[in-house]
Amino acid sequence: MALPAVDGRQYVYRVYAPKDALLADLFWEAWHCHEESALPRAWDLFDAAVIRLVG
């Protein structure tokens, strides 16, 4: 999952989850990984997300 940050970059996170996981759960997992790191704050306002299954 890619999250845009206030520094203009996108940070990409691989989230491991079962195939029946809710999309919102995947998003929040990536969000918390970003927010707990030393990276610039992720934008909390955006209108779309792309989630891809990597097999």
Side-chain angles (χ1 to χ4, degrees):
M1 168 149 333
L3 296 175
V6 296
D7 64 355
R9 294 182 178 180
Q10 284 193 20
Y11 294 88
V12 177
Y13 296 88
R14 183 178 296 233
V15 177
Y16 296 96
K19 289 187 179 201
D20 62 346
L22 299 175
L23 297 180
D25 292 337
L26 301 177
F27 171 79
W28 282 112
E29 183 66 27
W31 183 270
H32 288 295
C33 286
H34 183 89
E35 289 296 294
E36 292 174 4
S37 70
L39 300 172
R41 182 165 175 74
W43 285 112
D44 54 2
L45 297 174
F46 46 90
D47 60 4
V50 175
I51 299 172
R52 285 182 274 194
L53 176 62
V54 177

Coordinates of all heavy atoms in Angstrom, one line a residue:
M1 N 0.8 -1.2 0.0 CA 0.0 0.0 0.0 C 0.9 1.2 0.0 O 1.8 1.3 0.8 CB -0.9 0.0 1.2 CG -1.6 1.3 1.4 SD -3.2 1.3 2.2 CE -3.9 -0.3 1.8
A2 N 0.6 2.2 -0.8 CA 1.4 3.4 -0.9 C 0.6 4.5 -0.2 O -0.6 4.7 -0.4 CB 1.6 3.9 -2.3
L3 N 1.3 5.3 0.7 CA 0.7 6.4 1.4 C 1.4 7.7 1.1 O 2.6 7.7 1.1 CB 0.8 6.1 2.9 CG 0.0 4.9 3.5 CD1 0.4 4.8 5.0 CD2 -1.5 5.1 3.3
P4 N 0.7 8.7 0.7 CA 1.3 10.0 0.4 C 1.7 10.7 1.7 O 0.9 10.6 2.7 CB 0.3 10.8 -0.4 CG -1.0 10.2 0.1 CD -0.7 8.7 0.4
A5 N 2.8 11.4 1.8 CA 3.3 12.0 3.0 C 3.4 13.5 2.7 O 3.5 14.0 1.6 CB 4.6 11.4 3.5
V6 N 3.5 14.3 3.8 CA 3.6 15.7 3.7 C 4.9 16.2 3.0 O 5.0 17.4 2.6 CB 3.5 16.4 5.1 CG1 2.1 16.2 5.7 CG2 4.6 16.0 6.0
D7 N 5.9 15.3 2.9 CA 7.1 15.7 2.2 C 7.0 15.5 0.6 O 8.0 15.8 -0.1 CB 8.3 15.0 2.7 CG 8.3 13.5 2.5 OD1 7.2 13.0 2.0 OD2 9.2 12.8 2.8
G8 N 5.8 15.2 0.2 CA 5.6 15.0 -1.3 C 5.9 13.6 -1.8 O 5.7 13.3 -3.0
R9 N 6.5 12.8 -1.0 CA 6.8 11.4 -1.4 C 5.7 10.5 -1.1 O 4.8 10.8 -0.3 CB 8.1 10.9 -0.7 CG 9.3 11.7 -1.0 CD 10.5 11.1 -0.3 NE 11.7 11.8 -0.6 CZ 12.9 11.5 -0.1 NH1 13.0 10.5 0.7 NH2 13.9 12.1 -0.5
Q10 N 5.8 9.3 -1.7 CA 4.8 8.2 -1.4 C 5.7 7.1 -0.7 O 6.7 6.7 -1.2 CB 4.2 7.6 -2.6 CG 3.1 8.5 -3.1 CD 2.2 7.8 -4.2 OE1 2.2 6.6 -4.2 NE2 1.5 8.6 -5.0
Y11 N 5.2 6.6 0.4 CA 5.9 5.5 1.1 C 5.1 4.2 0.9 O 3.8 4.2 1.1 CB 6.1 5.8 2.5 CG 7.0 7.0 2.7 CD1 6.5 8.3 2.7 CD2 8.4 6.8 2.8 CE1 7.4 9.4 2.8 CE2 9.2 7.9 3.0 CZ 8.7 9.1 3.0 OH 9.6 10.2 3.1
V12 N 5.7 3.1 0.5 CA 5.0 1.9 0.2 C 5.3 0.9 1.3 O 6.4 0.7 1.8 CB 5.5 1.3 -1.2 CG1 4.9 0.0 -1.5 CG2 5.3 2.3 -2.3
Y13 N 4.2 0.2 1.7 CA 4.2 -0.8 2.8 C 3.6 -2.1 2.3 O 2.6 -2.1 1.6 CB 3.4 -0.3 4.0 CG 4.1 0.9 4.6 CD1 3.7 2.2 4.2 CD2 5.1 0.8 5.6 CE1 4.3 3.3 4.7 CE2 5.7 1.9 6.1 CZ 5.3 3.2 5.7 OH 5.9 4.3 6.2
R14 N 4.3 -3.2 2.6 CA 3.7 -4.5 2.3 C 3.0 -4.9 3.6 O 3.6 -5.0 4.7 CB 4.8 -5.5 2.0 CG 4.3 -6.8 1.7 CD 5.4 -7.8 1.3 NE 6.1 -7.3 0.1 CZ 6.3 -8.0 -1.0 NH1 6.0 -9.2 -1.0 NH2 6.9 -7.4 -2.0
V15 N 1.7 -5.3 3.4 CA 0.9 -5.7 4.6 C 0.5 -7.1 4.4 O 0.0 -7.5 3.3 CB -0.4 -4.8 4.6 CG1 -1.3 -5.3 5.7 CG2 0.0 -3.3 4.8
Y16 N 0.9 -7.9 5.4 CA 0.5 -9.4 5.3 C -0.8 -9.6 6.0 O -1.0 -9.2 7.1 CB 1.6 -10.2 6.0 CG 3.0 -10.1 5.3 CD1 3.9 -9.2 5.7 CD2 3.2 -10.9 4.2 CE1 5.1 -9.1 5.0 CE2 4.4 -10.8 3.5 CZ 5.4 -9.9 3.9 OH 6.6 -9.8 3.3
A17 N -1.7 -10.2 5.3 CA -3.1 -10.5 5.8 C -3.7 -11.6 5.1 O -3.3 -12.0 4.0 CB -3.9 -9.2 5.6
P18 N -4.7 -12.3 5.7 CA -5.4 -13.3 5.0 C -6.2 -12.8 3.8 O -6.5 -11.6 3.8 CB -6.4 -13.9 6.1 CG -6.5 -12.8 7.1 CD -5.2 -12.0 7.0
K19 N -6.5 -13.6 2.9 CA -7.2 -13.2 1.6 C -8.6 -12.6 1.9 O -9.0 -11.8 1.1 CB -7.3 -14.3 0.7 CG -6.0 -14.7 0.0 CD -6.1 -15.7 -1.0 CE -4.8 -16.0 -1.6 NZ -4.8 -16.6 -2.9
D20 N -9.2 -13.0 3.0 CA -10.5 -12.4 3.3 C -10.5 -11.2 4.2 O -11.5 -10.7 4.7 CB -11.4 -13.5 4.0 CG -10.8 -14.0 5.3 OD1 -9.7 -13.8 5.6 OD2 -11.6 -14.7 6.0
A21 N -9.3 -10.6 4.4 CA -9.2 -9.4 5.2 C -9.9 -8.2 4.6 O -10.0 -8.1 3.3 CB -7.7 -9.0 5.4
L22 N -10.5 -7.4 5.4 CA -11.2 -6.2 4.9 C -10.2 -5.2 4.4 O -9.1 -5.0 4.9 CB -12.0 -5.6 6.0 CG -13.1 -6.5 6.6 CD1 -13.8 -5.7 7.8 CD2 -14.2 -6.8 5.5
L23 N -10.6 -4.5 3.3 CA -9.7 -3.5 2.7 C -9.3 -2.4 3.7 O -8.2 -1.9 3.8 CB -10.3 -2.9 1.5 CG -10.5 -3.8 0.3 CD1 -11.1 -3.1 -0.9 CD2 -9.2 -4.5 -0.1
A24 N -10.3 -2.0 4.6 CA -10.0 -1.0 5.6 C -9.0 -1.5 6.6 O -8.2 -0.7 7.0 CB -11.3 -0.7 6.3
D25 N -9.0 -2.8 6.9 CA -8.0 -3.3 7.8 C -6.6 -3.2 7.2 O -5.6 -2.9 7.9 CB -8.3 -4.8 8.2 CG -9.5 -4.9 9.0 OD1 -9.9 -3.9 9.7 OD2 -10.1 -6.0 9.0
L26 N -6.5 -3.5 5.9 CA -5.2 -3.4 5.2 C -4.7 -1.9 5.3 O -3.5 -1.7 5.5 CB -5.3 -3.9 3.8 CG -5.7 -5.3 3.6 CD1 -5.8 -5.6 2.1 CD2 -4.8 -6.3 4.2
F27 N -5.6 -1.0 5.0 CA -5.2 0.4 5.0 C -4.7 0.8 6.4 O -3.7 1.5 6.5 CB -6.4 1.2 4.6 CG -6.2 2.7 4.8 CD1 -5.5 3.4 3.9 CD2 -6.7 3.4 5.9 CE1 -5.3 4.8 4.1 CE2 -6.5 4.7 6.1 CZ -5.8 5.4 5.2
W28 N -5.5 0.5 7.4 CA -5.1 0.9 8.8 C -3.8 0.3 9.2 O -3.0 0.9 9.9 CB -6.2 0.6 9.8 CG -7.3 1.6 9.7 CD1 -8.5 1.4 9.3 CD2 -7.2 3.0 10.0 NE1 -9.2 2.6 9.3 CE2 -8.4 3.6 9.7 CE3 -6.2 3.9 10.5 CZ2 -8.7 5.0 9.9 CZ3 -6.4 5.2 10.6 CH2 -7.6 5.8 10.4
E29 N -3.5 -0.9 8.8 CA -2.2 -1.6 9.1 C -1.1 -0.8 8.5 O -0.1 -0.5 9.2 CB -2.2 -3.0 8.6 CG -1.0 -3.8 9.0 CD -0.8 -4.0 10.5 OE1 -1.8 -4.1 11.2 OE2 0.3 -4.1 11.0
A30 N -1.2 -0.4 7.3 CA -0.1 0.4 6.6 C 0.0 1.7 7.3 O 1.1 2.2 7.5 CB -0.4 0.5 5.1
W31 N -1.1 2.3 7.6 CA -1.2 3.7 8.2 C -0.4 3.7 9.5 O 0.4 4.5 9.8 CB -2.6 4.1 8.4 CG -2.7 5.5 9.0 CD1 -2.8 5.8 10.3 CD2 -2.8 6.7 8.2 NE1 -2.9 7.2 10.4 CE2 -2.9 7.7 9.2 CE3 -2.8 7.0 6.9 CZ2 -3.1 9.1 8.8 CZ3 -3.0 8.3 6.5 CH2 -3.1 9.3 7.5
H32 N -0.7 2.7 10.3 CA 0.0 2.6 11.7 C 1.5 2.3 11.5 O 2.3 2.8 12.3 CB -0.7 1.6 12.6 CG -2.0 2.0 13.0 ND1 -2.2 3.1 13.9 CD2 -3.3 1.6 12.8 CE1 -3.5 3.3 14.1 NE2 -4.2 2.4 13.4
C33 N 1.9 1.5 10.5 CA 3.3 1.3 10.3 C 4.0 2.6 10.0 O 5.1 2.9 10.5 CB 3.5 0.3 9.1 SG 3.1 -1.4 9.5
H34 N 3.3 3.4 9.2 CA 3.9 4.7 8.8 C 4.0 5.7 10.0 O 5.0 6.3 10.2 CB 3.1 5.4 7.6 CG 3.7 6.6 7.2 ND1 4.7 6.7 6.2 CD2 3.6 7.9 7.6 CE1 5.1 7.9 6.0 NE2 4.4 8.7 6.8
E35 N 2.9 5.8 10.7 CA 2.8 6.8 11.7 C 3.7 6.4 12.9 O 4.1 7.3 13.7 CB 1.3 6.9 12.2 CG 0.4 7.6 11.3 CD 0.8 9.0 11.0 OE1 0.7 9.8 11.9 OE2 1.2 9.3 9.9
E36 N 4.1 5.2 13.1 CA 5.0 4.8 14.2 C 6.5 4.9 13.8 O 7.3 4.7 14.6 CB 4.6 3.4 14.6 CG 3.3 3.3 15.3 CD 2.8 1.9 15.6 OE1 3.6 1.0 15.4 OE2 1.7 1.7 16.1
S37 N 6.8 5.3 12.5 CA 8.1 5.4 12.1 C 8.6 6.8 12.2 O 7.9 7.7 12.7 CB 8.3 4.9 10.6 OG 7.6 5.9 9.8
A38 N 9.8 7.1 11.8 CA 10.4 8.4 11.9 C 10.1 9.2 10.6 O 10.7 10.3 10.5 CB 11.9 8.3 12.1
L39 N 9.3 8.7 9.7 CA 9.1 9.4 8.4 C 8.1 10.6 8.6 O 7.4 10.6 9.6 CB 8.4 8.4 7.5 CG 9.3 7.2 7.2 CD1 8.5 6.1 6.3 CD2 10.6 7.6 6.4
P40 N 8.1 11.5 7.7 CA 7.2 12.6 7.8 C 5.8 12.1 7.8 O 5.4 11.1 7.3 CB 7.5 13.4 6.5 CG 8.8 13.0 6.1 CD 9.0 11.6 6.5
R41 N 4.9 12.9 8.4 CA 3.5 12.5 8.6 C 2.8 12.2 7.3 O 3.0 12.9 6.3 CB 2.8 13.6 9.3 CG 1.3 13.3 9.6 CD 0.8 14.3 10.6 NE -0.6 14.1 10.8 CZ -1.2 13.1 11.5 NH1 -0.4 12.2 12.1 NH2 -2.4 12.9 11.7
A42 N 2.0 11.1 7.3 CA 1.2 10.8 6.1 C 0.0 11.7 6.0 O -0.5 12.2 7.1 CB 0.7 9.3 6.2
W43 N -0.4 12.0 4.8 CA -1.6 12.8 4.6 C -2.7 12.0 5.1 O -2.9 10.9 4.9 CB -1.8 13.1 3.1 CG -0.9 14.2 2.6 CD1 0.1 14.0 1.6 CD2 -0.9 15.6 2.9 NE1 0.7 15.1 1.3 CE2 0.1 16.2 2.1 CE3 -1.6 16.4 3.7 CZ2 0.4 17.5 2.1 CZ3 -1.3 17.7 3.7 CH2 -0.3 18.3 3.0
D44 N -3.6 12.7 5.8 CA -4.8 12.0 6.3 C -6.1 12.4 5.5 O -7.2 12.0 5.8 CB -5.1 12.2 7.8 CG -5.1 13.7 8.2 OD1 -5.0 14.6 7.3 OD2 -5.2 14.0 9.4
L45 N -5.9 13.2 4.4 CA -7.0 13.5 3.6 C -6.6 13.1 2.1 O -5.7 13.7 1.5 CB -7.2 15.0 3.6 CG -7.7 15.6 5.0 CD1 -7.8 17.1 4.9 CD2 -9.0 15.1 5.4
F46 N -7.3 12.1 1.6 CA -7.2 11.8 0.2 C -8.5 11.0 -0.2 O -9.2 10.6 0.7 CB -5.9 11.0 -0.1 CG -5.7 9.9 0.9 CD1 -6.2 8.6 0.6 CD2 -4.9 10.1 2.0 CE1 -5.9 7.6 1.5 CE2 -4.6 9.1 2.9 CZ -5.1 7.8 2.6
D47 N -8.7 10.9 -1.5 CA -10.0 10.4 -1.9 C -10.0 9.0 -2.5 O -11.1 8.5 -2.9 CB -10.7 11.4 -2.9 CG -9.9 11.6 -4.1 OD1 -8.8 11.0 -4.3 OD2 -10.3 12.4 -4.9
A48 N -8.8 8.4 -2.6 CA -8.8 7.1 -3.2 C -7.6 6.3 -2.7 O -6.6 6.9 -2.3 CB -8.8 7.1 -4.7
A49 N -7.6 5.0 -2.7 CA -6.5 4.2 -2.4 C -6.5 3.0 -3.4 O -7.6 2.5 -3.8 CB -6.6 3.7 -1.0
V50 N -5.3 2.6 -3.8 CA -5.2 1.4 -4.6 C -4.6 0.3 -3.8 O -3.5 0.5 -3.2 CB -4.3 1.7 -5.9 CG1 -4.1 0.4 -6.7 CG2 -5.0 2.8 -6.7
I51 N -5.2 -0.8 -3.7 CA -4.7 -2.0 -2.9 C -4.6 -3.1 -3.9 O -5.5 -3.5 -4.6 CB -5.7 -2.4 -1.8 CG1 -5.8 -1.2 -0.8 CG2 -5.1 -3.6 -1.1 CD1 -6.9 -1.4 0.2
R52 N -3.3 -3.7 -4.0 CA -3.1 -4.7 -5.0 C -2.6 -6.0 -4.2 O -1.8 -5.9 -3.3 CB -1.9 -4.4 -5.9 CG -2.4 -3.4 -7.0 CD -1.2 -3.1 -7.9 NE -0.5 -2.1 -7.2 CZ 0.5 -1.4 -7.8 NH1 0.8 -1.6 -9.0 NH2 1.1 -0.4 -7.2
L53 N -3.2 -7.1 -4.6 CA -2.8 -8.4 -4.0 C -1.5 -8.8 -4.7 O -1.4 -8.9 -5.9 CB -3.9 -9.5 -4.3 CG -3.6 -10.9 -3.9 CD1 -3.4 -10.9 -2.4 CD2 -4.7 -11.8 -4.3
V54 N -0.5 -9.1 -3.9 CA 0.8 -9.6 -4.4 C 0.9 -11.0 -4.0 O 0.9 -11.3 -2.8 CB 2.0 -8.7 -3.8 CG1 3.3 -9.3 -4.3 CG2 1.8 -7.3 -4.1
G55 N 1.0 -11.9 -5.0 CA 1.0 -13.3 -4.7 C 2.3 -13.9 -4.6 O 3.0 -14.5 -4.3

